[in-house]
Amino acid sequence: MGLIKLKNIRTFSFHGCLEEEGKIGSDYSVELRAKADFLKAAATDDLAMAVDYVHLHKIVVEEMDIRSKLLEHVCQRILNRVLHEIPVIVHVTVAVSKINPPIGGDVELVTVEMEEFRA
């Protein structure tokens, strides 16, 4: 079993419950960790046998471009797509962080992290 990590995928997105958040947007950071069997990729040196991190990045960016009120909703969409589109992945964890959230205090970021296992 192997683990692939994409750290600090940065996006400018429009998530949030406040109407203003949908208009002005905010900076986000996404972390993604996926577990899969890497033995065939390691043995063959063939991208077709590997977990393509370009594909993972594309999923994250596309889902971050779809406005949601809740970070939980964004996380779940990313989890669903990863497991649906990349069958070799057996476990995936996603953390979506809103940088400088509008909560009336000095908070660097707020993060929602979720995980899914292939059934």
Side-chain angles (χ1 to χ4, degrees):
M1 194 63 57
L3 176 66
I4 188 166
K5 300 177 187 179
L6 280 73
K7 293 186 176 187
N8 198 21
I9 303 168
R10 293 173 300 278
T11 70
F12 189 83
S13 303
F14 297 88
H15 307 302
C17 291
L18 301 176
E19 188 176 324
E20 301 83 44
E21 292 174 296
K23 293 178 183 174
I24 63 172
S26 187
D27 290 310
Y28 290 81
S29 174
V30 180
E31 308 281 331
L32 187 146
R33 296 182 302 279
K35 290 185 180 179
D37 183 348
F38 290 179
L39 291 178
K40 288 182 184 176
T44 64
D45 198 27
D46 183 357
L47 178 59
M49 299 291 136
V51 175
D52 184 351
Y53 52 80
V54 173
H55 189 174
L56 290 172
H57 180 266
K58 179 179 182 264
I59 290 170
V60 169
V61 170
E62 288 176 356
E63 293 303 324
M64 290 299 291
D65 279 345
I66 301 169
R67 176 164 164 62
S68 294
K69 292 178 185 173
L70 301 177
L71 297 181
E72 293 87 343
H73 188 69
V74 180
C75 282
Q76 190 64 60
R77 288 198 324 262
I78 294 169
L79 293 169
N80 291 346
R81 276 195 61 191
V82 167
L83 290 175
H84 176 74
E85 294 181 21
I86 308 174
V88 70
I89 292 177
V90 297
H91 176 224
V92 61
T93 304
V94 175
V96 177
S97 300
K98 181 182 280 193
I99 300 167
N100 295 319
I103 60 174
D106 185 13
V107 176
E108 180 181 356
L109 53 87
V110 62
T111 301
V112 170
E113 182 172 317
M114 297 171 64
E115 65 181 341
E116 288 283 339
F117 295 86
R118 186 170 302 284

